[in-house]
Amino acid sequence: MTLKLYNTLARKKEVFKPIKDGEVGLYSCGPTVYNYAHIGNLRTYVFNDVLRRTLKYNGYNLKHVMNITDVGHLTSDADSGEDKMLKGAKREKKTVYELAEFYTKAFMVDLEKLNIETPEIIPKATDHIKEMIEIIRKIEKNGYAYSAGGNIYFDTSKFKDYGRLARLENDDSEKKSRVDADKNKRNPNDFVLWFTKSKFDEQEMKWDSPFGKGYPGWHIECSAMSSKYLGEQFDIHTGGIDHIQVHHTNEIAQSEAAFNKHPWVKYWLHGEFLVIDKDKMAKSGDNFLKLQTLVDKGFDPIVYRYFCLTAHYKQQLKFSFDGLESSRNSFNALKNKVIEIKKDDDGEIHKRLDHRYTEEFKELINDDLNMPKVLALMYHVLKDEKISNKDKYSILLDFDRVLGLGFKNMKEEIAEVNGEIEALIKERDNAKKQKDFAKADKIRNELKHKGIVLEDSKDGTKWKKI
Ligand SMILES: [Zn+2]
């Protein structure tokens, strides 16, 4: 069966053909570890995960690389503003290295909570300075770089296809030139490959190089780490759509200039934004929600994964707590159903797979990862009265290889959770006895936020999950 993916480079769905039969090289831009990931970032990693699971479901031998950006780059998506890592380190009174280590760990914990599979290779930018320097030397040798004001720049006028990915028009360059204050640039789209003149006095991270002591521009790390682990030409590169115009456009220019491979990457896939009140969610903005914020409000992280799967990765997804709550209700109902059908399971999965449904499932994931339709198909299977619970469970476990909702490990609420709820109910009963109704109501609301409703009767208080 053919796998079709929407390739930003071609602006259409294309049949996926790997460079090497049966093998896929996949690179995903990873986080800049100066703060927690916000849930908009995490949506992109759920999309990456669905892609990697789909490739594996299709039988490909996958090598997935996701970098960790632990060397400072500038605060805006364009090449300007303050240094993110340095700003974070000042805020938290840590060295930039401590900051990076702390937030890398926090990021990996988030991925685990969302049931996101760990990529095969997770390289850190600071471990690959030598490789970055080598590529910059190649770019220089091939005539695409110049030195100005102490920094090495990429000369975009020498690169004929610059802006192909983003379909950049001349108008965009003119707009950019008005906001860009860097007088060293020969062309508005030029960008720094290596800095020796930092705008920041206290820049901690500096390395010796043939261009002088300094540090790399942001974009070069992705070219260095992808080529080291996947070769100078590879199959798929992913990221959020905010990377198309600057970061990925510059990655292509510098990599093709260095390696002389066209196209450097065959398929570019981009995940859309999560939006709150029509604004893109950004770490620097006011609407910064992290996964722990959702947990604090009583949401299981896997409910957020389910919420992400309700929209196609190329559609904007509007976030609201009401929307998340409705996903929680659907997910809890699904969970109860899975626990119910699982009781009939005898472990003989493969003999019983209903191929009509698995073929349909494969068609949907292979049609550019159509997860909303996969969820609809899953509910259809659950409602089908012609198939037994055993067979339903087998089919769902097969779907879960891509959905990643953890059907296999679903079980009734564990005693500890029950214990916590019972304790709160007792506290509420005591408050009621003491006529502290404000406190009693507060506890009721607190439980409601955790997805628990209380029913008072003459035999005492009972609770159930919404
Ligand atoms: Zn990147």
Side-chain angles (χ1 to χ4, degrees):
M1 192 177 285
T2 52
L3 167 61
K4 282 192 206 142
L5 298 170
Y6 186 93
N7 188 355
T8 307
L9 209 50
R11 290 291 191 279
K12 61 177 183 204
K13 274 190 225 173
E14 290 186 333
V15 172
F16 175 69
K17 284 196 205 93
I19 296 169
K20 248 196 233 162
D21 254 359
E23 293 190 15
V24 180
L26 167 64
Y27 185 88
S28 302
C29 288
T32 304
V33 282
Y34 69 104
N35 203 336
Y36 292 103
H38 61 67
I39 56 171
N41 298 136
L42 293 171
R43 183 189 179 199
T44 307
Y45 297 103
V46 170
F47 145 63
N48 285 335
D49 188 53
V50 168
L51 173 64
R52 65 166 279 137
R53 285 167 178 266
T54 297
L55 291 163
K56 280 168 55 182
Y57 192 94
N58 278 276
Y60 288 112
N61 192 1
L62 176 69
K63 196 172 182 188
H64 183 192
V65 180
M66 180 191 68
N67 67 304
I68 299 286
T69 301
D70 59 350
V71 50
H73 70 76
L74 307 165
T75 36
S76 78
D77 289 332
D79 250 345
S80 57
E82 277 184 280
D83 183 292
K84 286 180 180 176
M85 294 293 292
L86 206 56
K87 203 177 157 191
K90 269 190 221 162
R91 180 189 67 225
E92 300 190 16
K93 299 190 175 51
K94 288 184 171 120
T95 68
V96 278
Y97 290 95
E98 286 164 353
L99 186 82
E101 202 189 323
F102 180 84
Y103 286 114
T104 302
K105 273 191 196 144
F107 176 71
M108 297 313 293
V109 169
D110 281 353
L111 296 194
E112 205 185 317
K113 284 184 180 163
L114 289 167
N115 219 3
I116 290 172
E117 292 182 344
T118 311
E120 280 67 30
I121 303 168
I122 306 178
K124 289 198 291 190
T126 46
D127 290 338
H128 295 79
I129 302 295
K130 184 171 72 70
E131 287 82 353
M132 294 186 216
I133 292 169
E134 273 167 27
I135 295 180
I136 299 170
R137 294 192 77 166
K138 279 187 193 165
I139 296 169
E140 257 190 334
K141 200 172 129 244
N142 294 345
Y144 293 92
Y146 61 91
S147 165
N151 299 330
I152 306 290
Y153 289 85
F154 185 91
D155 187 345
T156 52
S157 70
K158 298 268 169 66
F159 187 74
K160 159 166 104 11
D161 257 349
Y162 185 82
R164 183 179 67 220
L165 180 77
R167 302 280 197 275
L168 288 183
E169 304 290 339
N170 290 337
D171 288 1
D172 294 335
S173 307
E174 278 168 28
K175 249 184 260 157
K176 219 171 159 183
S177 66
R178 283 200 295 272
V179 294
D180 205 319
D182 189 344
K183 296 279 179 290
N184 294 320
K185 290 186 183 181
R186 289 183 190 163
N187 313 290
N189 287 324
D190 291 358
F191 55 93
V192 177
L193 296 166
W194 189 267
F195 289 95
T196 67
K197 288 274 175 292
S198 174
K199 288 196 257 181
F200 318 107
D201 296 339
E202 60 282 67
Q203 189 77 37
E204 278 181 63
M205 293 172 156
K206 280 184 183 168
W207 293 267
D208 288 323
S209 87
F211 333 105
K213 192 166 183 168
Y215 59 100
W218 169 30
H219 316 296
I220 197 72
E221 68 174 76
C222 288
S223 299
M225 289 185 268
S226 60
S227 61
K228 175 165 181 181
Y229 299 105
L230 300 173
E232 291 185 352
Q233 193 175 34
F234 60 94
D235 299 297
I236 310 176
H237 194 311
T238 70
I241 55 158
D242 47 337
H243 284 341
I244 298 174
Q245 194 152 352
V246 179
H247 182 50
H248 289 169
T249 289
N250 292 348
E251 276 190 40
I252 292 174
Q254 68 199 8
S255 302
E256 297 197 3
F259 310 137
N260 206 17
K261 295 272 189 335
H262 311 278
W264 167 53
V265 173
K266 289 183 73 188
Y267 302 87
W268 285 85
L269 271 65
H270 292 98
E272 252 289 356
F273 288 138
L274 182 78
V275 289
I276 294 184
D277 299 330
K278 293 195 189 114
D279 286 334
K280 163 200 163 189
M281 188 178 287
K283 279 187 197 178
S284 48
D286 294 334
N287 53 6
F288 176 25
L289 292 174
K290 48 188 196 271
L291 193 61
Q292 189 58 38
T293 320
L294 307 188
V295 173
D296 291 344
K297 287 181 183 284
F299 292 96
D300 185 332
I302 209 72
V303 167
Y304 183 64
R305 181 180 176 102
Y306 181 93
F307 176 75
C308 290
L309 298 179
T310 60
H312 189 269
Y313 76 91
K314 284 190 60 57
Q315 287 171 338
Q316 283 198 350
L317 176 58
K318 202 169 176 228
F319 179 84
S320 68
F321 280 102
D322 283 349
L324 191 64
E325 205 156 315
S326 116
S327 274
R328 173 165 64 193
N329 294 343
S330 308
F331 182 78
N332 284 343
L334 171 66
K335 190 171 166 184
N336 289 337
K337 188 78 193 160
V338 172
I339 291 167
E340 186 193 315
I341 61 170
K342 196 175 176 174
K343 287 176 185 153
D344 291 347
D345 177 46
D346 58 9
E348 286 195 35
I349 289 167
H350 295 291
K351 284 185 198 160
R352 290 199 315 261
L353 272 187
D354 186 322
H355 292 290
R356 201 164 34 97
Y357 281 125
T358 51
E359 282 307 300
E360 208 174 328
F361 170 75
K362 212 167 166 183
E363 253 171 54
L364 294 175
I365 55 170
N366 283 355
D367 182 17
D368 198 29
L369 321 175
N370 198 333
M371 301 317 284
K373 283 205 174 159
V374 166
L375 288 180
L377 177 68
M378 177 191 73
Y379 284 114
H380 189 77
V381 171
L382 284 170
K383 279 191 198 127
D384 190 338
E385 288 173 359
K386 289 194 206 80
I387 48 177
S388 68
N389 280 350
K390 281 185 198 176
D391 290 355
K392 283 180 186 174
Y393 186 61
S394 296
I395 295 166
L396 255 67
L397 281 190
D398 187 57
F399 288 9
D400 206 40
R401 288 165 59 195
V402 178
L403 286 167
L405 293 170
F407 293 152
K408 202 168 181 183
N409 299 320
M410 278 179 180
K411 43 184 178 284
E412 316 262 6
E413 293 305 310
I414 49 169
E416 259 171 78
V417 174
N418 290 0
E420 189 194 328
I421 294 162
E422 300 292 351
L424 281 167
I425 291 174
K426 214 169 176 183
E427 206 182 322
R428 178 171 166 267
D429 284 344
N430 287 336
K432 280 198 329 193
K433 270 181 211 151
Q434 288 158 15
K435 305 224 181 299
D436 186 351
F437 297 111
K439 189 177 175 189
D441 285 347
K442 203 176 148 236
I443 294 172
R444 176 188 278 273
N445 281 335
E446 197 181 314
L447 285 164
K448 198 176 164 203
H449 279 299
K450 291 182 192 285
I452 305 293
V453 284
L454 301 180
E455 280 165 11
D456 293 319
S457 74
K458 57 180 184 345
D459 305 324
T461 306
K462 287 193 179 122
W463 62 270
K464 67 173 188 196
K465 280 211 145 204
I466 304 169

